[in-house]
Amino acid sequence: MSDTHTVRAFLEADHHPWGAAMAAFAARALAPRAEPPSDDEARAEARALLGILGAEGAFTPIGGRDLRACCLAREAIAAASPLADAVWALQGLGITPLLVSGSDELRERWAEPALAGEVMSAFAMTEPGAGSDVGSMATRAVRDGDAYVLDGHKWLISNAGIADYYVVFASTEPEAGSRGISAFVVPAGTEGLTYAGAQVMSAAHPLGELRLEACRVPVGHRLGEEGRGFMLGMATLDQLRPTVGAAACGMAERALREALDHAVSREQFGKPLADFQLIQEKLGRMAIELTASRMLVYRAAYEKDLGAERITTEAAMAKAYATEAAQRVIDDAIQIVGGLGVLASHPLDRLYRSIRALRIYEGATEIQHLIVGGTMVADAKASAGASGGEGA
Ligand SMILES: Cc1cc2nc3c(=O)[nH]c(=O)nc-3n(C[C@H](O)[C@H](O)[C@H](O)COP(=O)(O)OP(=O)(O)OC[C@H]3O[C@@H](n4cnc5c(N)ncnc54)[C@H](O)[C@@H]3O)c2cc1C
């Protein structure tokens, strides 16, 4: 559920009905759908959810570049279905680079139907040897006439094997490190691109490996200039990290609701659990962390919507804090619910398994901390340099 009141200082008038509509849609159309019991079923369910989300217009704010509306959508969707949230996340990651740097042809062919939920996108950056250290990627793209020839191995890729197109990052100039990376649109079915198998998570989430072997991609499928792929990837992640924080808020909010409902109805030692101060303290701490998370998430989205070119620091703070806080809130919620909370059929168990990955994907928490700390140090050094490096 999206609590637009708490963050109203960061919202425009039309965000409130949008948040309410997304919450009503998620409760009606997503919450009743059970978590698929196997990876194969999760893949089929992800494709079904794509159509449901698209028909509802849930991806529209990605195209409208309304980051606060994106956050409201993800918050509502994640509270009802972490798998539907993963589907939303990957549409965001796969569409945004095309909107920023794609040709008219690529936008019409892939981004527009993806916004309607008619085609599924994916974002293939991570490799066995290149996780946090994206600049060390080994996938190569070599120019050959009017095409590039891609060779490499991607893993931990969401929607691998079920996407209709992949935004693939590859090095066009290995000696230039991150400045030598370019991004390409590679449609599924392109000769030389193969799905190399699933990487099965404990929560329903279609994840897997891709191989690129002499995979020819037309020059027109490059996104932006050669060597600008790393910047494009980082700008995309900047923009979408607040939405990861929003998804974490949705999951935490659902957990808090489950815990509160349980605490007021469950009696032990002759009275409801909610009457014990130790339970009230836990609930209070959970609510404070959730509210603080929302403030950081919507602050970051607000800055972007107001025209900030990059929101690197704000997005890093929002993603790191909200995902870590959500993990604690969900854990506390299970503690309040007790044994029932760890049953596989309980919504809290699904949230517990689902939230874990948000602390890792799109840049692990430690990397977000490094972004914030590194920026502070760079600013401090710059201002020391500007003042001649002399103390007061
Ligand atoms: C569910 C899920 C979905 C994903 N989907 C996608 C996708 O669609 N596309 C895609 O490209 N990738 C995807 N990923 C991959 C994800 O982006 C990477 O897992 C992430 O970037 C971390 O990389 P790594 O797993 O290789 O960990 P590593 O980079 O090996 O890091 C391991 C640990 O070391 C820490 N660490 C690393 N460097 C430093 C440092 N300098 N200082 C301090 N600590 C450090 C990290 O914070 C982390 O805690 C997905 C991952 C998951 C779990």
Side-chain angles (χ1 to χ4, degrees), residues 90 123 125-126 131-132 156-158 201 207 357 360 364 366 370:
L90 268 298
F123 183 90
M125 183 177 263
T126 305
S132 304
L156 297 175
I157 306 304
S158 301
M201 269 178 60
L207 198 65
I360 296 170
E366 293 75 12
L370 287 176

Side-chain angles (χ1 to χ4, degrees), residues 31-105:
R33 299 176 76 92
E35 184 180 22
S38 70
D39 190 59
D40 283 348
E41 285 159 290
R43 287 165 185 275
E45 175 70 354
R47 290 291 318 200
L49 287 166
L50 175 74
I52 293 169
L53 292 168
E56 191 65 23
F59 305 122
T60 316
I62 302 171
R65 316 290 284 279
D66 182 342
L67 194 52
R68 287 167 291 176
C70 289
C71 289
L72 290 167
R74 259 192 102 168
E75 203 180 326
I77 292 165
S81 165
L83 178 57
D85 175 63
V87 171
W88 195 103
L90 268 298
Q91 291 302 98
L93 282 171
I95 292 170
T96 302
L98 274 69
L99 297 180
V100 173
S101 294
S103 62
D104 289 348
E105 195 185 327

Side-chain angles (χ1 to χ4, degrees), residues 120-307:
M120 179 173 259
S121 65
F123 183 90
M125 183 177 263
T126 305
E127 303 181 358
S132 304
D133 182 11
V134 176
S136 68
M137 72 173 52
T139 298
R140 298 284 177 260
V142 177
R143 181 79 183 253
D144 181 24
D146 59 358
Y148 285 89
V149 180
L150 274 60
D151 284 279
H153 179 194
K154 298 288 180 183
W155 78 358
L156 297 175
I157 306 304
S158 301
N159 294 348
I162 57 169
D164 296 299
Y165 76 92
Y166 299 83
V167 174
V168 175
F169 294 82
S171 182
T172 38
E173 196 184 348
E175 53 287 359
S178 61
R179 289 195 179 84
I181 292 172
S182 303
F184 303 89
V185 171
V186 185
T190 303
E191 200 178 334
L193 169 69
T194 48
Y195 167 55
Q199 294 176 291
V200 181
M201 269 178 60
S202 55
H205 184 119
L207 198 65
E209 300 184 51
L210 299 170
R211 294 249 178 222
L212 296 138
E213 286 158 329
C215 177
R216 280 185 82 82
V217 178
V219 170
H221 281 209
R222 196 186 64 219
L223 293 169
E225 290 167 32
E226 198 176 275
R228 300 287 294 170
F230 180 82
M231 287 301 291
L232 177 63
M234 292 306 123
T236 300
L237 291 172
D238 251 23
Q239 187 167 324
L240 289 164
R241 278 179 184 142
T243 76
V244 183
C249 289
M251 293 187 199
E253 202 269 345
R254 171 82 188 273
L256 181 52
R257 234 183 320 137
E258 295 281 344
L260 187 56
D261 289 350
H262 183 84
V264 287
S265 60
R266 166 79 170 164
E267 291 199 1
Q268 286 293 279
F269 302 100
K271 56 182 180 177
L273 289 178
D275 287 357
F276 294 106
Q277 282 191 333
L278 284 174
I279 298 287
Q280 289 176 14
E281 185 276 340
K282 232 189 245 312
L283 290 167
R285 188 158 35 80
M286 292 155 79
I288 291 167
E289 291 208 61
L290 173 56
T291 303
S293 298
R294 281 190 167 129
M295 296 292 177
L296 285 170
V297 163
Y298 287 92
R299 188 274 297 244
Y302 171 82
E303 294 292 342
K304 184 72 186 168
D305 287 345
L306 247 62

